[in-house]
Each structure stands twice: as structure tokens, then as C-alpha cells.
Amino acid sequence: MGDLGRTPEARALAAVLAGLKRRSGLSYEELGRRVFTSSSTLHRYCNGNSVPGDYGVVLRIAKECGAGPDELNELLRYWESATGRRDEEHASGPTGVGARPVAVTPTAVTPTALKSTAVTPTAVKSAAVKSAATGSAPLVRLRLALAAVTALVLLGTLVASAPRNRGAEIPPVPVGAASWAQAPLPVDPALFGVTMNSFSGAMPSFRVGALRLWDSETRWAQMEPVRGEFDWSVLDRLLDGAERDGLPTLFTFGGAPAWAAPDARKAAYPEGARAAPPDDLADWDTFVRALVRHAGDRIDAYELWVTANHPHHYNGSVETLVDMTRRANRVIQRWDPDATVVCPPITDLWKEEAHRYLLRFAELGGYQHCDAAGVKLFQRKVTDPPETMLEAVQKVERTFQQAGYHLPLWSTGTVQTIQLNDPLDADAAADHAVRFFLTGLYARNRNLERMYFYAWGNGKIPVVIQAEGQRPTKAGIHVGRLQQWLTGSRIRSCGHGGQIALPENVWQCEFLVPDERGTLVPARIRWTHAGTADVPVGAGARTVHRLDGTTREVGTGDTELVTERPVLIRYR
């Protein structure tokens, strides 16, 4: 579009783009690499000698430079004036950018539909403008579709041809798997947490990001076996090990001593711990105070009971648990104000009674005393795809919206009956463990911040990552390599199936990852929740990395067989 490049409208567009580029501090080469265009082309856009023929290019440049919604709207107006296309032609504008994209059904946006003139970003936007005066239900649906299409633009360039599934039947799509995009944000290493089922002080020999203490001989009954007499020896060993490895630690309260609740139900532990609050909450205050003062800043966060709504761990009233939460938070804030306070987690989130419990805890003001909300995310069956957890995350988000709270979510464990399940074979366990954390990253748009895998050190559960005293399993090695891939990275989008022009069983998250020189380059992690699919690697693809440590070089026209074992694709 060189002829347009000399018009006043084109020069106005160029001035805004050049200003954003200067503000970002990025070179033409680096910015061009991030938006999949050459530095010379980008230079022409910024000096007014050329106008992008697709608004999607303008949008990617602006988002990489940190443009806000008002600036995106301004750019759309300039681009429409410079091209004379307005709503009738080409890509969508920034309507909906900055809001959470809404999921579109696979039949509404498919690879074929995206390549046709029947469903395009412009067609959706144009129809929405024409319906604006009516306030009708079709307008609402069109606005939701526009938001989703905007997310597709941000998710990267579409594949050149429709990918192919292997197998006659496409697996069902897990519920709650909405695609989303955002300005790149750092991937917090602490998301990759494990629960310690060990009391020796030994630490994982593969890379992990955070520790949670439970089933680690650190229950209340074990550390205060007699009222007023404390034994910190096991806790100190664990905290010393975490400190050596530089790992943030979450301490989990639970297991009241028999002397504190002699008539209460016994928990399933040999020391006689009780699945109940103490009879006198002054004993609770004393223990919390003694623990926080002893640990100091060696404990980074406190989970105020192991599980709120499971009788094996707590069978007291909601009112008492809220009171315990309030009192513990008051003590922690006095003695360690920098610590994160996590409200007692809710489990069995597939069941409506769990959400009623959450609402009751909220109604009584429990969440006012916490920095994060604890939840237990797991599949209905251990053999279900980890991605099915997204349905539970979606339900939790809706319940919190109903309750009027918007706290970060920390997933701190699994179901009580996990050990009743048969072990998975080594390959299935490895794929499960890696995708457990990827599902956590996928749920970032629903405010999920931490995932603690259950467990490290335990060799008697269906998915073993490392039994204490033994080498890491394939699952542990692969989890460590996933974290190695994402060290220093920034996440910018996640999507699934037809929402991002991929086969229905394919999932993808996009990142900026450091290359050999430390420069951030685009990358994608792809996997399936079942089956396989041949998928083009996309423009600018350079290498495909596998969890077994192998790598192959690829080019723009190549395809990759995507399976249940995630792969990382790096781009130029």
C-alpha cells in the first residue's frame, strides 16, 4: 500500500506508531521479530512511507509497545482513514481489548470459517455497528464474537491451511476452556509448586518453584503434643532445606492436638490429631503466634486449614472456621506482615454443596481476612485429562463473582481419596504432571496464581514425580524441563481448538522466552487432551523442543505431530 503512505492520514498513523515504538524502547529488529515482520517494513510503517494492509498488524505492534485501549481506538480511526476501509474490509479493531475474551463455540469459529468471507473480524464488527441502536440480543452475541475474534488476532498469525486430526473422531472439548490474550506478563516460577510428603529436609532434585508443607510431620498435633510445649525440629529441617534451595514455603495448618479437642472426631493420623477446631480458640491463637514468631520470614505464606469442607479434615462449623481465619490473620499480620494469608481451601468443587459452603464462608466475612483463596483443583477421575479442571475453575470464578470477591486463587492439593486410584503408567503420568501445570497457566485469566502438585516424596500415589531417596521419575524430569523452558518467560495468550483455528483436541499457550543471547523471542507450547493432530508450525518457526530433551530444526512450511505430550516451538 505504498501509494497511501504519502497521505496526511498515513502520516498521522505513522506518527502514533513511531511514538509507541520510541516509548517501548525496542529496536526495529526486536519489535519486528515480536510481531512477525521485517525491521525494514516496520520502519516504513513508522515513517509514513507505507501503511499496513491489515489492522491486525497495527494491533500487534501497538500491544507489544504497551498501548492502552484509548490508544488502540485512536489507531483504528487513523488506520481506517488512511486505508478508506473502515468497517467494510479487513481486520477487527480493538473493541474488547483489555476485557476478558469470551469463548466461541467450535462451530462458530473454525479454520475453514476464518478463511472464508462468511465469518471475519470485519463482518462481525460491521454487523455490530449496524445493530447498535437496537440493543437486541443479536447485538450482544455479536459483541461477544467480536471480543473473541480480537483475541484471535492477538494469538498470532493463523495457519495457512487447515490442520488435520489423526483418528476418525475428535474428542469432546473440556468445558470452561475460553481463549484469552493479554499484554505479556512474567511467568512466576512459584506457580510450579509441590506439596512436601517428607520430614527429612531433603528437597526435590529437579526444578520446582515452591513448597507446601503437609503430610510432612508438621501438623499442629505433632508440633505441640502437650499444651505449651513445642517441637520445631522437623519444621526447622524443612525450612532450612527450602532456604538452601531458595524456595518459597507455604505452611498448612491442620490436625488439632487431642488435648485441644478431646471429644472431637479423630483424623486419619497415628498421633491422634483431631479433624476439628480446638474447644478453646485461645489455644489456636497461642499456636499460631508461637509458630509465626519461631519461623520468622522463613515461611512466606500460611494456609489457614488443610481443607475447609471435608469431614476427614474439618468437621466444625463454618462460623468457627471464619473466626479462626480472622484470629490467625490478626496474629500473622502483627508478627509477619509480609506473609501471604491463604483462606482455608474448598474441595469437591464438582459438587454444588461445595459452592454453597464457599458462599457461606464469604457471607460470614471469611475472605476479608485473606490475601488469596484456597481451592483444591483436580479431575473427577485421575484418568481424566487435566484440562477438565478448567470446568471447576470456571465454576469457582462464577461463585466468587456471586459472593462479591475477586481474590487470587491458590490450588493447594487434590482429593482425599487420591490413593484409592490405580497408578498411571510412566508415560501417562509424565504427560499428566506437565499438563497439570499448563492447565494452571491456561487458567491465569481466571485469577489462578499457584498450583501445588500432590506430592513430592510420596511413592504410593497414582502420579509419582519423585519418591524420597530415589531418582525423579519421567514425570518429575518432564516437569523440571517445562520449568526450564519457561524460566524468564512472559505469557501472552492461551487458546484451544477452533477458537484459534486449530483442531478441536489441540491446546496452545504463547510466550516470549529468552533465546541463547537472553533476547525474548516468540514461542508456543502445544499439546492435545486426547489423540494427535498434524499442525503447521507457523511462520517464522525455528526449532521444536520436546520434553525428552531432543530438538529439531523446522521452517515455516513444516508441520508437527501434536500429541498428549506438550512440545515447545520457538520462532525467529
Side-chain angles (χ1 to χ4, degrees):
M1 301 189 69
D3 292 341
L4 295 175
R6 292 185 290 272
T7 65
E9 293 85 356
R11 287 197 294 272
L13 173 65
V16 177
L17 288 174
L20 288 171
K21 186 263 175 191
R22 286 194 299 271
R23 188 177 74 187
S24 73
L26 298 171
S27 66
Y28 282 108
E29 181 180 2
E30 174 61 19
L31 182 56
R33 179 163 46 244
R34 295 190 184 190
V35 299
F36 302 99
T37 192
S38 68
S39 59
S40 59
T41 299
L42 188 61
H43 191 268
R44 289 196 297 273
Y45 293 159
C46 290
N47 65 22
N49 288 332
S50 183
V51 174
D54 186 337
Y55 181 72
V57 176
V58 178
L59 188 62
R60 289 197 297 276
I61 295 170
K63 292 296 289 183
E64 285 294 342
C65 294
D70 291 341
E71 292 170 311
L72 295 176
N73 282 315
E74 181 184 33
L75 282 166
L76 174 61
R77 290 193 298 271
Y78 284 138
W79 181 85
E80 288 176 336
S81 297
T83 60
R85 291 177 179 176
R86 297 192 180 278
D87 297 324
E88 288 76 20
E89 302 175 27
H90 280 44
S92 70
T95 305
V97 173
R100 178 172 297 137
V102 180
V104 181
T105 59
T107 54
V109 182
T110 64
T112 303
L114 285 166
K115 291 163 65 179
S116 73
T117 57
V119 180
T120 67
T122 301
V124 171
K125 183 181 175 188
S126 180
V129 171
K130 292 175 183 177
S131 304
T134 67
S136 61
L139 174 60
V140 174
R141 290 193 294 271
L142 286 166
R143 283 175 173 168
L144 296 182
L146 175 58
V149 174
T150 301
L152 297 184
V153 173
L154 291 173
L155 286 170
T157 55
L158 299 178
V159 295
S161 60
R164 300 185 304 276
N165 279 94
R166 293 194 177 184
E169 190 172 324
I170 296 176
V173 179
V175 176
S179 297
W180 56 271
Q182 65 182 17
L185 291 175
V187 174
D188 186 356
L191 177 127
F192 303 94
V194 295
T195 294
M196 293 293 290
N197 282 184
S198 165
F199 55 90
S200 67
M203 293 289 119
S205 61
F206 60 94
R207 184 193 298 261
V208 300
L211 302 179
R212 171 178 176 262
L213 304 185
W214 185 251
D215 288 335
S216 51
E217 306 296 315
T218 52
R219 288 181 291 276
W220 180 7
Q222 293 167 310
M223 293 195 291
E224 192 182 5
V226 177
R227 180 184 274 114
E229 296 182 11
F230 303 99
D231 181 356
W232 308 118
S233 57
V234 172
L235 177 69
D236 287 339
R237 284 201 300 271
L238 293 167
L239 295 181
D240 288 347
E243 196 168 34
R244 284 194 302 272
D245 283 14
L247 297 173
T249 301
L250 170 65
F251 179 88
T252 300
F253 289 97
W259 57 259
D263 299 325
R265 171 180 172 163
K266 292 181 179 180
Y269 299 108
E271 73 278 1
R274 296 316 200 239
D279 295 341
D280 184 351
L281 291 186
D283 290 325
W284 166 249
D285 296 341
T286 298
F287 176 67
V288 175
R289 186 183 305 109
L291 171 67
V292 177
R293 292 181 66 181
H294 176 80
D297 61 4
R298 293 184 296 165
I299 291 178
D300 302 271
Y302 293 89
E303 184 178 26
L304 297 187
W305 202 262
V306 57
T307 301
N309 60 323
H310 198 293
H312 288 186
H313 290 294
Y314 181 82
N315 60 5
S317 70
V318 183
E319 289 79 3
T320 299
L321 190 59
V322 168
D323 195 16
M324 292 172 66
T325 299
R326 178 186 61 81
R327 297 165 76 118
N329 178 62
R330 184 175 58 194
V331 172
I332 294 167
Q333 289 302 310
R334 178 182 177 186
W335 295 102
D336 188 6
D338 294 329
T340 299
V341 177
V342 183
C343 269
I346 309 297
T347 190
D348 291 334
L349 292 165
W350 304 105
K351 301 176 182 178
E352 288 306 315
E353 50 263 41
H355 293 266
R356 288 195 291 270
Y357 194 106
L358 192 160
L359 286 171
R360 180 60 177 158
F361 190 87
E363 180 184 82
L364 294 169
Y367 290 110
Q368 295 185 42
H369 308 294
C370 301
D371 305 303
V375 292
K376 303 286 189 182
L377 295 178
F378 51 88
Q379 311 93 283
R380 285 188 173 92
K381 298 184 297 183
V382 72
T383 52
D384 287 344
E387 295 77 18
T388 58
M389 291 189 293
L390 292 170
E391 180 179 354
V393 179
Q394 181 186 54
K395 289 181 176 180
V396 167
E397 181 185 44
R398 291 174 177 173
T399 302
F400 271 109
Q401 288 174 347
Q402 183 179 347
Y405 287 94
H406 189 69
L407 290 170
L409 300 179
W410 287 28
S411 178
T412 62
T414 186
V415 65
Q416 172 74 19
T417 57
I418 183 175
Q419 298 195 56
L420 301 180
N421 291 277
D422 294 331
L424 300 182
D425 66 63
D427 286 331
D431 298 344
H432 174 107
V434 170
R435 285 162 46 204
F436 169 86
F437 290 112
L438 285 173
T439 301
L441 281 168
Y442 200 108
R444 180 162 189 164
N445 70 318
R446 299 194 188 278
N447 221 29
L448 184 61
E449 285 191 356
R450 290 279 182 98
M451 299 284 283
Y452 290 92
F453 188 87
Y454 189 92
W456 183 86
N458 192 331
K460 301 178 181 178
I461 50 180
V463 180
V464 177
I465 53 176
Q466 184 177 16
E468 185 171 9
Q470 299 182 24
R471 299 179 64 182
T473 63
K474 181 180 287 188
I477 293 170
H478 285 191
V479 166
R481 184 155 286 125
L482 172 66
Q483 292 170 80
Q484 186 178 20
W485 284 353
L486 296 179
T487 298
S489 69
R490 293 174 174 265
I491 187 169
R492 57 183 184 179
S493 68
C494 285
H496 166 264
Q499 299 173 20
I500 55 170
L502 292 174
E504 286 306 308
N505 61 335
V506 176
W507 300 69
Q508 173 179 283
C509 287
E510 289 194 331
F511 305 86
L512 296 173
V513 302
D515 65 7
E516 298 81 2
R517 298 171 299 175
T519 302
L520 291 176
V521 299
R524 292 168 174 151
I525 294 182
R526 286 177 176 165
W527 71 98
T528 68
H529 68 267
T532 64
D534 286 311
V535 183
V537 292
R542 183 166 60 92
T543 51
V544 174
H545 302 256
R546 298 187 177 87
L547 288 166
D548 63 5
T550 61
T551 302
R552 77 177 181 105
E553 295 185 358
V554 292
T556 296
D558 292 337
T559 63
E560 174 69 17
L561 180 63
V562 181
T563 72
E564 296 176 46
R565 180 156 299 165
V567 296
L568 172 74
I569 306 172
R570 287 177 178 257
Y571 295 81
R572 295 182 174 84

